[in-house]
Short mmCIF file of all heavy atoms in Angstrom, two decimals:
data_model
loop_
_atom_site.label_atom_id
_atom_site.label_comp_id
_atom_site.label_asym_id
_atom_site.label_seq_id
_atom_site.Cartn_x
_atom_site.Cartn_y
_atom_site.Cartn_z
N PHE A 144 0.81 -1.21 0.00
CA PHE A 144 0.00 0.00 0.00
C PHE A 144 0.85 1.26 0.00
O PHE A 144 0.49 2.27 -0.62
CB PHE A 144 -0.92 -0.05 1.22
CG PHE A 144 -1.86 1.11 1.36
CD1 PHE A 144 -2.91 1.28 0.47
CD2 PHE A 144 -1.71 2.02 2.39
CE1 PHE A 144 -3.80 2.33 0.61
CE2 PHE A 144 -2.60 3.07 2.54
CZ PHE A 144 -3.64 3.22 1.65
N SER A 145 1.98 1.22 0.67
CA SER A 145 2.82 2.40 0.83
C SER A 145 3.57 2.78 -0.44
O SER A 145 4.26 3.81 -0.45
CB SER A 145 3.81 2.19 1.98
OG SER A 145 4.73 1.15 1.68
N ASN A 146 3.45 2.02 -1.50
CA ASN A 146 4.11 2.34 -2.77
C ASN A 146 3.26 3.21 -3.69
O ASN A 146 3.73 3.61 -4.75
CB ASN A 146 4.48 1.06 -3.53
CG ASN A 146 5.73 0.41 -3.00
OD1 ASN A 146 6.46 0.99 -2.19
ND2 ASN A 146 6.00 -0.81 -3.45
N TYR A 147 2.03 3.52 -3.29
CA TYR A 147 1.10 4.16 -4.20
C TYR A 147 0.37 5.33 -3.57
O TYR A 147 0.10 5.35 -2.37
CB TYR A 147 0.05 3.15 -4.68
CG TYR A 147 0.63 1.94 -5.34
CD1 TYR A 147 0.82 0.76 -4.63
CD2 TYR A 147 1.00 1.97 -6.68
CE1 TYR A 147 1.36 -0.36 -5.24
CE2 TYR A 147 1.54 0.86 -7.30
CZ TYR A 147 1.72 -0.30 -6.57
OH TYR A 147 2.26 -1.41 -7.18
N ALA A 148 0.02 6.28 -4.42
CA ALA A 148 -0.94 7.30 -4.03
C ALA A 148 -2.32 6.66 -3.93
O ALA A 148 -2.59 5.63 -4.56
CB ALA A 148 -0.96 8.43 -5.05
N MET A 149 -3.20 7.27 -3.15
CA MET A 149 -4.52 6.73 -2.94
C MET A 149 -5.57 7.77 -3.29
O MET A 149 -5.38 8.96 -3.00
CB MET A 149 -4.66 6.28 -1.47
CG MET A 149 -5.99 5.62 -1.13
SD MET A 149 -7.20 6.87 -0.61
CE MET A 149 -8.70 5.89 -0.73
N THR A 150 -6.66 7.33 -3.90
CA THR A 150 -7.72 8.23 -4.31
C THR A 150 -9.07 7.68 -3.90
O THR A 150 -9.32 6.48 -4.03
CB THR A 150 -7.71 8.45 -5.84
OG1 THR A 150 -6.43 8.95 -6.25
CG2 THR A 150 -8.78 9.45 -6.26
N TRP A 151 -9.93 8.55 -3.40
CA TRP A 151 -11.33 8.23 -3.19
C TRP A 151 -12.13 8.70 -4.40
O TRP A 151 -11.94 9.81 -4.89
CB TRP A 151 -11.88 8.90 -1.94
CG TRP A 151 -11.50 8.23 -0.66
CD1 TRP A 151 -10.48 8.57 0.18
CD2 TRP A 151 -12.16 7.12 -0.05
NE1 TRP A 151 -10.46 7.73 1.26
CE2 TRP A 151 -11.48 6.83 1.15
CE3 TRP A 151 -13.27 6.33 -0.40
CZ2 TRP A 151 -11.86 5.78 2.00
CZ3 TRP A 151 -13.65 5.29 0.43
CH2 TRP A 151 -12.94 5.04 1.62
N TYR A 152 -13.04 7.84 -4.85
CA TYR A 152 -13.94 8.14 -5.94
C TYR A 152 -15.38 7.96 -5.46
O TYR A 152 -15.62 7.35 -4.42
CB TYR A 152 -13.72 7.19 -7.12
CG TYR A 152 -12.34 7.21 -7.72
CD1 TYR A 152 -11.30 6.51 -7.13
CD2 TYR A 152 -12.09 7.90 -8.90
CE1 TYR A 152 -10.03 6.51 -7.69
CE2 TYR A 152 -10.83 7.90 -9.47
CZ TYR A 152 -9.80 7.20 -8.87
OH TYR A 152 -8.55 7.20 -9.43
N ARG A 153 -16.31 8.47 -6.22
CA ARG A 153 -17.71 8.22 -5.92
C ARG A 153 -18.52 8.17 -7.21
O ARG A 153 -18.12 8.75 -8.22
CB ARG A 153 -18.29 9.28 -4.98
CG ARG A 153 -18.45 10.67 -5.58
CD ARG A 153 -18.94 11.65 -4.53
NE ARG A 153 -19.14 12.98 -5.07
CZ ARG A 153 -19.46 14.04 -4.35
NH1 ARG A 153 -19.62 13.92 -3.02
NH2 ARG A 153 -19.64 15.23 -4.92
N GLN A 154 -19.63 7.47 -7.13
CA GLN A 154 -20.54 7.37 -8.26
C GLN A 154 -21.96 7.55 -7.75
O GLN A 154 -22.48 6.68 -7.04
CB GLN A 154 -20.39 6.04 -8.99
CG GLN A 154 -21.22 5.95 -10.25
CD GLN A 154 -20.86 4.75 -11.10
OE1 GLN A 154 -20.19 3.82 -10.64
NE2 GLN A 154 -21.28 4.76 -12.35
N GLY A 155 -22.58 8.66 -8.08
CA GLY A 155 -23.94 8.93 -7.68
C GLY A 155 -24.94 8.31 -8.63
O GLY A 155 -24.58 7.82 -9.70
N PRO A 156 -26.22 8.33 -8.26
CA PRO A 156 -27.26 7.75 -9.12
C PRO A 156 -27.28 8.40 -10.50
O PRO A 156 -27.35 9.63 -10.62
CB PRO A 156 -28.55 8.07 -8.35
CG PRO A 156 -28.12 8.25 -6.93
CD PRO A 156 -26.78 8.89 -7.02
N GLY A 157 -27.17 7.59 -11.52
CA GLY A 157 -27.20 8.09 -12.88
C GLY A 157 -25.98 8.89 -13.30
O GLY A 157 -26.01 9.57 -14.33
N LYS A 158 -24.92 8.81 -12.52
CA LYS A 158 -23.71 9.57 -12.81
C LYS A 158 -22.52 8.65 -13.01
O LYS A 158 -22.52 7.49 -12.58
CB LYS A 158 -23.41 10.55 -11.67
CG LYS A 158 -24.51 11.55 -11.38
CD LYS A 158 -24.11 12.47 -10.24
CE LYS A 158 -25.22 13.45 -9.90
NZ LYS A 158 -25.51 14.36 -11.03
N GLY A 159 -21.49 9.17 -13.64
CA GLY A 159 -20.26 8.43 -13.78
C GLY A 159 -19.41 8.53 -12.52
O GLY A 159 -19.69 9.31 -11.61
N ARG A 160 -18.38 7.75 -12.48
CA ARG A 160 -17.48 7.78 -11.34
C ARG A 160 -16.62 9.05 -11.39
O ARG A 160 -16.07 9.40 -12.44
CB ARG A 160 -16.59 6.54 -11.34
CG ARG A 160 -15.68 6.41 -10.14
CD ARG A 160 -14.90 5.09 -10.17
NE ARG A 160 -15.75 3.95 -9.82
CZ ARG A 160 -16.12 3.00 -10.66
NH1 ARG A 160 -15.72 3.04 -11.93
NH2 ARG A 160 -16.87 2.00 -10.24
N GLU A 161 -16.52 9.75 -10.28
CA GLU A 161 -15.74 10.97 -10.21
C GLU A 161 -14.75 10.91 -9.07
O GLU A 161 -14.98 10.25 -8.05
CB GLU A 161 -16.65 12.19 -10.05
CG GLU A 161 -17.45 12.21 -8.76
CD GLU A 161 -18.28 13.46 -8.59
OE1 GLU A 161 -18.02 14.46 -9.29
OE2 GLU A 161 -19.21 13.44 -7.75
N ARG A 162 -13.65 11.61 -9.23
CA ARG A 162 -12.64 11.69 -8.19
C ARG A 162 -13.10 12.64 -7.10
O ARG A 162 -13.60 13.73 -7.38
CB ARG A 162 -11.32 12.16 -8.77
CG ARG A 162 -10.73 11.23 -9.81
CD ARG A 162 -9.51 11.83 -10.46
NE ARG A 162 -8.40 11.93 -9.52
CZ ARG A 162 -7.27 12.57 -9.79
NH1 ARG A 162 -7.11 13.17 -10.97
NH2 ARG A 162 -6.30 12.60 -8.89
N VAL A 163 -12.93 12.24 -5.86
CA VAL A 163 -13.31 13.05 -4.71
C VAL A 163 -12.10 13.68 -4.05
O VAL A 163 -12.07 14.88 -3.77
CB VAL A 163 -14.10 12.22 -3.69
CG1 VAL A 163 -14.45 13.06 -2.46
CG2 VAL A 163 -15.37 11.65 -4.33
N ALA A 164 -11.10 12.86 -3.77
CA ALA A 164 -9.91 13.33 -3.06
C ALA A 164 -8.76 12.38 -3.32
O ALA A 164 -8.97 11.20 -3.57
CB ALA A 164 -10.17 13.45 -1.56
N ALA A 165 -7.55 12.89 -3.24
CA ALA A 165 -6.36 12.08 -3.44
C ALA A 165 -5.30 12.46 -2.43
O ALA A 165 -5.24 13.61 -1.97
CB ALA A 165 -5.82 12.24 -4.86
N ILE A 166 -4.44 11.50 -2.11
CA ILE A 166 -3.35 11.73 -1.17
C ILE A 166 -2.13 10.98 -1.66
O ILE A 166 -2.23 9.84 -2.12
CB ILE A 166 -3.77 11.30 0.26
CG1 ILE A 166 -2.70 11.65 1.28
CG2 ILE A 166 -4.11 9.81 0.30
CD1 ILE A 166 -3.19 11.50 2.73
N ASN A 167 -0.97 11.61 -1.59
CA ASN A 167 0.22 10.94 -2.06
C ASN A 167 0.77 9.99 -1.00
O ASN A 167 0.22 9.86 0.09
CB ASN A 167 1.26 11.94 -2.57
CG ASN A 167 1.96 12.71 -1.47
OD1 ASN A 167 1.57 12.69 -0.31
ND2 ASN A 167 3.02 13.42 -1.85
N ILE A 168 1.87 9.34 -1.32
CA ILE A 168 2.36 8.23 -0.51
C ILE A 168 2.60 8.60 0.94
O ILE A 168 2.21 7.85 1.86
CB ILE A 168 3.65 7.65 -1.13
CG1 ILE A 168 3.33 6.97 -2.46
CG2 ILE A 168 4.31 6.66 -0.17
CD1 ILE A 168 4.55 6.52 -3.23
N TYR A 169 3.22 9.74 1.17
CA TYR A 169 3.58 10.13 2.53
C TYR A 169 2.73 11.28 3.07
O TYR A 169 3.14 11.97 3.99
CB TYR A 169 5.06 10.47 2.59
CG TYR A 169 5.93 9.27 2.29
CD1 TYR A 169 6.65 9.19 1.10
CD2 TYR A 169 6.00 8.21 3.19
CE1 TYR A 169 7.42 8.08 0.83
CE2 TYR A 169 6.77 7.10 2.92
CZ TYR A 169 7.47 7.04 1.73
OH TYR A 169 8.25 5.93 1.46
N SER A 170 1.58 11.48 2.49
CA SER A 170 0.60 12.45 2.96
C SER A 170 1.09 13.89 2.85
O SER A 170 0.55 14.78 3.52
CB SER A 170 0.18 12.15 4.40
OG SER A 170 -0.33 10.84 4.52
N ALA A 171 2.08 14.14 2.02
CA ALA A 171 2.60 15.49 1.85
C ALA A 171 1.70 16.35 0.97
O ALA A 171 1.73 17.57 1.06
CB ALA A 171 4.00 15.44 1.26
N VAL A 172 0.91 15.71 0.11
CA VAL A 172 0.05 16.43 -0.81
C VAL A 172 -1.35 15.84 -0.76
O VAL A 172 -1.51 14.62 -0.80
CB VAL A 172 0.57 16.37 -2.26
CG1 VAL A 172 -0.35 17.16 -3.19
CG2 VAL A 172 2.00 16.90 -2.34
N ARG A 173 -2.34 16.70 -0.67
CA ARG A 173 -3.74 16.29 -0.71
C ARG A 173 -4.46 17.16 -1.73
O ARG A 173 -4.22 18.36 -1.81
CB ARG A 173 -4.41 16.47 0.66
CG ARG A 173 -3.88 15.55 1.75
CD ARG A 173 -4.52 15.92 3.08
NE ARG A 173 -4.26 14.93 4.12
CZ ARG A 173 -3.20 14.95 4.93
NH1 ARG A 173 -2.29 15.91 4.81
NH2 ARG A 173 -3.06 14.01 5.87
N THR A 174 -5.34 16.56 -2.50
CA THR A 174 -6.14 17.30 -3.45
C THR A 174 -7.60 16.91 -3.28
O THR A 174 -7.92 15.80 -2.88
CB THR A 174 -5.71 17.04 -4.90
OG1 THR A 174 -5.91 15.67 -5.24
CG2 THR A 174 -4.24 17.40 -5.11
N TYR A 175 -8.49 17.86 -3.61
CA TYR A 175 -9.91 17.66 -3.44
C TYR A 175 -10.67 18.19 -4.64
O TYR A 175 -10.27 19.19 -5.25
CB TYR A 175 -10.42 18.37 -2.18
CG TYR A 175 -9.75 17.92 -0.91
CD1 TYR A 175 -8.67 18.61 -0.38
CD2 TYR A 175 -10.20 16.79 -0.24
CE1 TYR A 175 -8.04 18.20 0.77
CE2 TYR A 175 -9.58 16.37 0.92
CZ TYR A 175 -8.50 17.06 1.43
OH TYR A 175 -7.90 16.64 2.58
#
């Protein structure tokens, strides 16, 4: 797990999957 950035996605009713938030390997960068 520690080799990769991690991203949360979501898919609402009738919608495509979208990116919600991302975090890099050592939590130095977060995007929303």
Side-chain angles (χ1 to χ4, degrees):
F144 182 69
S145 65
N146 281 350
Y147 303 97
M149 183 271 165
T150 303
W151 282 97
Y152 300 80
R153 69 184 182 186
Q154 185 168 16
K158 301 180 182 296
R160 185 176 285 111
E161 63 177 343
R162 298 173 69 189
V163 177
I166 186 168
N167 74 349
I168 292 173
Y169 296 109
S170 303
V172 181
R173 294 174 169 89
T174 63
Y175 301 96

